[in-house]
Amino acid sequence: MKPFALITLSWFACMAAALAVCVAVFGRPEARLPVEVLKLPRTSFRDEALRAIFDSRNLAKAGKPLLLILGASATQEGYPPSALQPLLPDFSVNNLAIGAANVTEMDQALDLALKSARPAGLQGSELVLGLSYPVFVRDGRRWTHPDIVGADMVRRGEVVSDIVKEATRCPPLLDPGNPVFRLTPAPLSEWARGTLAALLPLLSHLTVHPADPVLAWPHWRHHPLVPVAAVAPAPPPPPPESHVDARKQMDWLTDYMGEEGHRLPEEQFAVLRRLVGKARRAGMRVTAVNLPLPSWHQTDSPYHAAYWTALQHTLRELSADPGVRLIDLSSSAPDTWFRDSSHPAKEAVQDWSAALARSISQPW
Amino acid sequence: MTIVSLNFLVFLGGALACFHLLPHRWRPGFVFPATCLVFLVLVSPSPSGAAALLVYFALLWMLLELAIRSRGRPTLIGALAVVLLGFGWLKGYEFLSFLPLSAAVPATIGLAYILIRSIQLLVDTMESPPARINPVTVFNFLMAWPCLVSGPIQRYDDFERQLAAMPSFRLGRDVILRAMERIIRGYFFVCVVGDATRGLWLGLKDIAFAGAHPLALGASQAAFLFHLFFDFAGYTEIVIGVGYLFGLALPENFNRPFRARSFLDFWNRWHMTMSGFFKTYVFNPAAMALTRIAPSPAWTVVCATAAFFATFFLVGLWHGTTWAFVICGLLLGLGASVNHAYTTRLRVALGRQRHDRLTSHLLYVAPATAFAFTYLCLSVTPLWMTAEELSATLGRYGASGLLLAEAVLFLVMLLAIPWWLKQEAGGPRPQWLACILMGAQLAAIQLYLFLFPATGGLFFYEQF
């Protein structure tokens, strides 16, 4: 057999064997990855970013106009497709929100969606952007924050979003910023993502890095001259607190934004304009939603007023386009509908979704 | 642009296209130097860094011309002094900070390797001066892009011959297969094994720095050595494979270093082109000079020991500019000189037959090799610890803690080495098996990168 053919066959056989073993042991990946409810505290948004990368290929199969929802954790929790779909039967509801996303990451999620969705299917579709002041955090601040970025990324000092980080699994085919991704025909991109998706169930059984199981060996910290029996076992860690101090959470968000004088930078608003323009050129109508916040959060946060003013100003600039609108839901939810400083209580998700569905259904 | 980036592959594709599609007679005089210039601009940390290297090349060229015309030892010494001063200034050695514009020196890449090539060229040119020397050939040699970043270091006469043969070089199936085998193996080493060992080394380092944990400290030293091997050897494999595609047969840099039986044996197998340079251009002249000063046979061992110390001290300094590298040099020098002195004394004391019997017995080989590798791991810790970290580690562990860490490492090596030495070194593979292995390595790279997205940073030796 010719050498190059043998190399190709060997590569193909090894990949096929790996995929087959993965499917046999862990089962086929779910057609749609779950829009999971956040568990606090968290430092990894891996699964949500993977959902944006891999679930977006399902947009090609939508038989109805799309309702594509982008945003961060409050959007993810407040508007699950299971709650919204019955209320908006004329749309195919898809939520690609990612925890702690900023507008840059929302823009990348839109790129993934536009790659997959059929151009004809985008006509009459609607893009819903769940906005609040934390999504306007600067890239340099968000993607290097030690509380919500992995230690390896902080060590590298790179400013890459969770989508781009997860896309490094196969950058030419998964990273919306990669030229190969942009040039690859949509059907080929979908096939490649569908094939690689077979490996996703394996991820939940693996550590972040192959060295992690070795590093987890408890005796690395054990002194070699001290007998093992003489060392008292470490006490079990305390169970995580079930009660979240909402005020402390708001203070954390204030520190997280990290801007001098609490002025929001222009960077993310420029990305928002670019995002809206991209969606409009694809034929989608855009609804920017000012998300619900508890009343005390709106008055006490040093960022909320500036954000709302800047958002209104930005949308006013875009309002010459009849396909762009701003909906203010900030006061649509009583404080009892929140479980903390910004996220919906489980029992209030239906109410959140109903409020959004009512607003979206209003005539343009 | 790094060697494991998509940009490098795009550059490689462009360079290959220009090299093989343009008229062949253009290769040595135009295509190859043009690709070197483009590569220099792409990998340099800044445009000023690239410009600084080009100015350094111009200086070297003038010194070469002067050396050919003058042909005197004082000229050679003066030229070497200027080259070393220029290198020290550009590299940013603290003891040269008094030189003008030291604070404004741009960061460069590959400078340490350019230095070695230029010293080699200056010395060889003085010893056998040609009628004239082609500036384009010299540029190609000093800035040869496949080995600009981290070697391997080729001899000028070898390179000149291969460059002259470039117009007649044809890319055949066998050359492509050989190149692919090296390149794919290189990427497997860097992207899979190198990344896995890097994570292990950094994780153990964090544990070792978090408190006085001798197990973790010892293990991190070993993990670093393994990571460094796969990272650097992988880079070398890629570079040698790429060289094949352009008609360059670059020298090997590694010869199974983990089969070494002593500290000095290890350096004969690790980064061989660098070791060869230091042996030819530093150790030999130093040993000869010292022997001329003290010609008595009683002083021969002392002279050689001193020459070993000086040579390996310079190896440490060549790697970096801070006090950590001075410490590295002292440790390397101590190891080399003690190893040489011990080996010589043992041979004299036992006689050749008894010495050979002893040094082939496992009961001697295992502890001796374990000791050599333990000391080696210790001596290269300044490559991955700053001077402040070294000082903090000394303070945190104390002498007893450090000894304990090294003792643990020694014991583990002592247990592993007898098994390792029994493993047969593999011979050449049949082509069909090499092809299957290439396909498997490609799949392994793809799967590893998917399951464990890249966490690695720069290729380690690039910082030198």
Side-chain angles (χ1 to χ4, degrees):
Chain A
M1 180 182 276
K2 300 222 182 301
F4 299 112
L6 190 54
I7 294 169
T8 309
L9 188 66
S10 171
W11 166 81
F12 184 79
C14 291
M15 288 298 291
L19 290 168
V21 165
C22 199
V23 171
V25 174
F26 301 107
R28 293 174 66 88
E30 295 174 56
R32 283 175 180 273
L33 298 169
V35 181
E36 59 179 280
V37 175
L38 289 177
K39 295 178 184 54
L40 294 172
R42 59 185 300 140
T43 57
S44 167
F45 303 93
R46 180 193 75 175
D47 292 340
E48 294 148 70
L50 286 173
R51 184 165 51 79
I53 291 169
F54 287 96
D55 261 6
S56 52
R57 73 188 198 281
N58 291 315
L59 298 177
K61 300 175 195 144
K64 298 185 251 189
L66 296 170
L67 184 80
L68 180 62
I69 304 170
L70 301 178
S73 52
T75 307
Q76 182 186 14
E77 291 188 39
Y79 309 119
S82 55
L84 264 182
Q85 186 67 75
L87 302 171
L88 296 165
D90 296 334
F91 288 102
S92 170
V93 178
N94 293 267
N95 188 324
L96 295 183
I98 301 173
N102 66 354
V103 183
T104 297
E105 194 169 37
M106 288 161 62
D107 185 46
Q108 291 165 350
L110 178 64
D111 284 334
L112 289 163
L114 293 179
K115 183 72 179 181
S116 297
R118 299 276 178 260
L122 288 171
Q123 304 301 320
S125 289
E126 193 149 336
L127 173 66
V128 174
L129 304 173
L131 303 174
S132 57
Y133 71 82
V135 304
F136 288 89
V137 67
R138 269 184 298 118
D139 285 337
R141 185 92 182 137
R142 165 63 180 94
W143 305 112
T144 58
H145 199 289
D147 288 355
I148 49 174
V149 170
D152 58 328
M153 297 306 291
V154 174
R155 193 186 290 130
R156 283 168 69 184
E158 282 190 44
V159 179
V160 293
S161 68
D162 289 312
I163 283 182
V164 172
K165 185 186 166 195
E166 295 307 321
T168 57
R169 294 178 190 276
C170 188
L173 296 171
L174 304 181
D175 180 0
N178 194 294
V180 175
F181 175 89
R182 286 197 217 120
L183 295 171
T184 303
L188 184 58
S189 173
E190 272 166 51
W191 173 81
R193 281 188 275 168
T195 307
L196 290 171
L199 294 170
L200 288 179
L202 184 54
L203 292 183
S204 56
H205 299 272
L206 292 176
T207 50
V208 172
H209 192 273
D212 290 344
V214 178
L215 294 170
W217 188 53
H219 298 293
W220 290 122
R221 292 174 172 79
H222 174 64
H223 199 282
L225 296 182
V226 173
V228 174
V231 175
E241 286 181 29
S242 54
H243 167 70
V244 173
D245 187 323
R247 290 238 166 226
K248 275 191 185 164
Q249 197 183 58
M250 186 189 74
D251 292 339
W252 184 89
L253 281 172
T254 302
D255 179 69
Y256 163 74
M257 293 299 290
E259 297 297 333
E260 210 164 297
H262 304 125
R263 277 190 303 274
L264 287 174
E266 170 60 14
E267 178 197 91
Q268 294 295 300
F269 287 96
V271 179
L272 179 64
R273 283 188 213 97
R274 199 172 66 226
L275 185 162
V276 170
K278 203 183 302 180
R280 288 296 296 139
R281 282 192 298 277
M284 301 180 86
R285 292 188 298 196
V286 179
T287 300
V289 175
N290 185 22
L291 288 174
L293 268 188
S295 55
W296 57 266
H297 193 161
Q298 294 181 48
T299 49
D300 295 352
S301 166
Y303 284 99
H304 181 75
Y307 140 78
W308 179 228
T309 305
L311 183 65
Q312 286 180 297
H313 176 74
T314 304
L315 269 294
R316 211 173 294 129
E317 284 175 4
L318 298 169
S319 65
D321 184 339
V324 179
R325 66 178 172 180
L326 174 63
I327 290 175
D328 182 11
L329 293 181
S330 59
S331 303
S332 67
D335 290 359
T336 50
W337 284 11
F338 295 90
R339 62 176 171 81
D340 58 23
S341 69
S342 44
H343 297 95
K346 260 193 203 170
E347 51 277 8
V349 167
Q350 203 63 42
D351 299 307
W352 273 55
S353 296
L356 178 68
R358 272 195 303 275
S359 298
I360 285 175
S361 302
Q362 285 171 15
W364 279 76
Chain B
M1 180 177 80
T2 66
I3 209 160
V4 291
S5 66
L6 187 63
N7 291 345
F8 174 74
L9 295 175
V10 171
F11 166 81
L12 180 60
L16 277 171
C18 291
F19 192 85
H20 292 286
L21 297 177
L22 291 175
H24 295 178
R25 66 183 184 282
W26 290 6
R27 286 173 179 174
F30 171 66
V31 178
F32 194 76
T35 50
C36 292
L37 200 55
V38 169
F39 186 81
L40 177 65
V41 169
L42 289 175
V43 298
S44 284
S46 65
S48 51
L53 280 184
L54 291 173
V55 170
Y56 191 60
F57 159 73
L59 173 69
L60 289 166
W61 166 249
M62 286 190 299
L63 290 170
L64 260 179
E65 284 284 323
L66 186 65
I68 291 171
R69 286 173 217 283
S70 304
R71 299 186 192 185
R73 186 158 281 276
T75 311
L76 173 63
I77 292 171
L80 286 173
V82 171
V83 162
L84 286 167
L85 202 64
F87 167 76
W89 180 73
L90 273 174
K91 195 81 171 161
Y93 281 96
E94 285 174 27
F95 64 88
L96 290 175
S97 57
F98 63 90
L99 290 172
L101 299 175
S102 293
V105 168
T108 55
I109 195 162
L111 185 63
Y113 293 88
I114 294 173
L115 171 76
I116 285 183
R117 286 193 279 271
S118 29
I119 289 176
Q120 208 193 92
L121 191 53
L122 271 171
V123 172
D124 289 354
T125 302
M126 285 294 293
E127 284 180 358
S128 327
R132 64 179 295 271
I133 203 157
N134 187 322
V136 175
T137 307
V138 171
F139 177 82
N140 283 336
F141 173 66
L142 292 175
M143 305 287 176
W145 67 265
C147 35
L148 176 72
V149 173
S150 294
I153 303 156
Q154 199 172 14
R155 296 294 300 261
Y156 178 75
D157 41 7
D158 285 340
F159 179 82
E160 199 183 16
R161 263 195 305 276
Q162 290 170 19
L163 192 71
M166 265 186 189
S168 56
F169 169 70
R170 295 292 177 267
L171 195 65
R173 190 185 81 169
D174 286 342
V175 174
I176 294 176
L177 278 173
R178 260 194 318 143
M180 276 179 70
E181 188 177 359
R182 301 299 294 256
I183 292 170
I184 292 171
R185 181 162 60 230
Y187 278 110
F188 177 75
F189 276 6
V190 172
C191 298
V192 179
V193 190
D195 183 79
T197 47
R198 183 176 188 276
L200 184 62
W201 156 51
L202 289 176
L204 288 169
K205 178 185 171 186
D206 287 344
I207 297 173
F209 281 10
H213 305 303
L215 276 181
L217 182 63
S220 65
Q221 293 175 35
F224 172 73
L225 190 66
F226 282 107
H227 162 67
L228 188 62
F229 170 71
F230 285 106
D231 195 53
F232 195 15
Y235 158 86
T236 305
E237 291 282 320
I238 294 169
V239 157
I240 288 176
V242 163
Y244 287 158
L245 299 173
F246 294 86
L248 293 173
L250 297 170
E252 297 292 337
N253 238 353
F254 297 91
N255 177 21
R256 298 190 166 97
F258 294 111
R259 295 214 164 259
R261 301 289 183 101
S262 70
F263 187 86
L264 285 173
D265 187 24
F266 178 86
W267 288 103
N268 282 333
R269 294 164 176 270
W270 176 283
H271 205 176
M272 294 189 298
T273 57
M274 182 204 69
S275 305
F277 165 81
F278 274 91
K279 181 178 169 184
T280 307
Y281 295 92
V282 179
F283 175 77
N284 288 348
M288 277 168 47
L290 287 169
T291 310
R292 270 200 290 274
I293 296 169
S296 156
W299 284 91
T300 309
V301 174
V302 175
C303 292
T305 303
F308 267 115
F309 183 87
T311 304
F312 276 83
F313 178 68
L314 288 175
V315 168
L317 273 193
W318 172 82
H319 280 84
T321 61
T322 65
W323 283 107
F325 294 97
V326 174
I327 296 168
C328 180
L330 288 171
L331 289 171
L332 289 175
L334 185 68
S337 53
V338 166
N339 188 183
H340 174 262
Y342 167 76
T343 310
T344 312
R345 290 268 180 249
L346 189 69
R347 201 175 287 125
V348 166
L350 294 180
R352 190 189 168 115
Q353 269 191 340
R354 283 170 63 198
H355 174 267
D356 289 350
R357 261 205 310 275
L358 175 69
T359 55
S360 57
H361 201 287
L362 188 63
L363 279 178
Y364 174 84
V365 168
T369 310
F371 184 78
F373 274 98
T374 304
Y375 184 79
L376 177 69
C377 289
L378 174 70
S379 61
V380 297
T381 47
L383 293 186
W384 55 277
M385 282 197 207
T386 62
E388 292 76 25
E389 285 171 339
L390 280 170
S391 168
T393 304
L394 270 169
R396 190 181 310 118
Y397 284 81
S400 57
L402 286 175
L403 272 171
L404 194 52
E406 303 313 312
V408 167
L409 185 57
F410 172 78
L411 278 170
V412 170
M413 299 253 187
L414 189 63
L415 293 170
I417 280 167
W419 169 82
W420 172 242
L421 291 178
K422 282 202 181 98
Q423 308 308 308
E424 292 281 328
R429 291 186 196 94
Q431 192 182 70
W432 64 267
L433 186 59
C435 290
I436 290 176
L437 192 58
M438 275 191 256
Q441 285 171 337
L442 279 171
I445 293 166
Q446 192 172 356
L447 285 167
Y448 184 90
L449 290 178
F450 185 85
L451 297 174
F452 305 107
T455 60
L458 274 184
F459 153 64
F460 192 86
Y461 249 78
E462 201 165 306
Q463 61 187 302
F464 308 132

